[in-house]
Amino acid sequence: MHCQVYDVSSYLDEHPGGDDVLLRATGKDATDEFEDAGHSKSARELMESFCIGELDPTPAIPKLEIVSKKQELEGVSQKVINLGKQYWVIPVAVGLSVVVSFLYLRKK
Ligand code: HEM
């Protein structure tokens, strides 16, 4: 709540609002729920005795994938090989048509 972290585990049985509301707010920002309940000044003072720390406002650092130069080159050469594999049909088709036209012209 309010960028602070509270450990209310020892207060569950004593909380006048019940333990269920506290348990439901565990592990998340309960600022709105806390404010909606209209807590008194003494409740806010009591709350401070349960404060265990501050929430770190810095966003989590995204995980980066480490790719070595060698892996990168291997990826490129694999792509070229795959491309070559796909286009074997063209030279074969050209070769076949040359043979067929040669045979056809020889018959004439
Ligand atoms: C360390 C944290 C908290 C403390 C010390 C605390 C303390 C109290 C106290 C003393 C009361 C009695 C009324 C008053 O004096 O204001 C109360 C009532 C209540 N609290 Fe909390 N509270 C805490 C957190 C929360 C949270 C996180 C929620 C909601 C998720 C919550 C929900 C309520 C509700 C619903 C009531 C009943 C209000 C009513 O009957 O009108 N409290 N609390």
Side-chain angles (χ1 to χ4, degrees):
M1 294 174 277
H2 301 295
C3 292
Q4 308 279 334
V5 182
Y6 299 89
D7 177 7
V8 289
S9 51
S10 60
Y11 187 60
L12 290 175
D13 292 340
E14 291 163 53
H15 184 234
D19 58 355
D20 53 332
V21 281
L22 293 184
L23 290 170
R24 258 184 275 134
T26 315
K28 60 176 191 139
D29 183 6
T31 307
D32 291 343
E33 289 93 328
F34 182 81
E35 294 303 335
D36 288 350
H39 284 89
S40 61
K41 196 169 174 259
S42 61
R44 285 164 198 276
E45 280 164 13
L46 180 63
M47 180 174 92
E48 288 320 308
S49 64
F50 299 107
C51 184
I52 54 163
E54 239 172 64
L55 205 65
D56 185 357
T58 48
I61 301 165
K63 270 197 173 178
L64 297 174
E65 197 188 334
I66 299 166
V67 180
S68 75
K69 281 276 175 209
K70 200 181 159 206
Q71 270 176 296
E72 231 169 63
L73 284 175
E74 275 171 8
V76 170
S77 56
Q78 196 56 46
K79 271 183 196 163
V80 171
I81 289 166
N82 287 345
L83 215 66
K85 275 183 193 165
Q86 276 174 18
Y87 290 106
W88 63 269
V89 180
I90 297 167
V92 169
V94 171
L96 269 175
S97 59
V98 166
V99 170
V100 169
S101 20
F102 177 74
L103 290 173
Y104 177 75
L105 288 175
R106 234 183 50 172
K107 259 191 181 177
K108 272 190 170 180

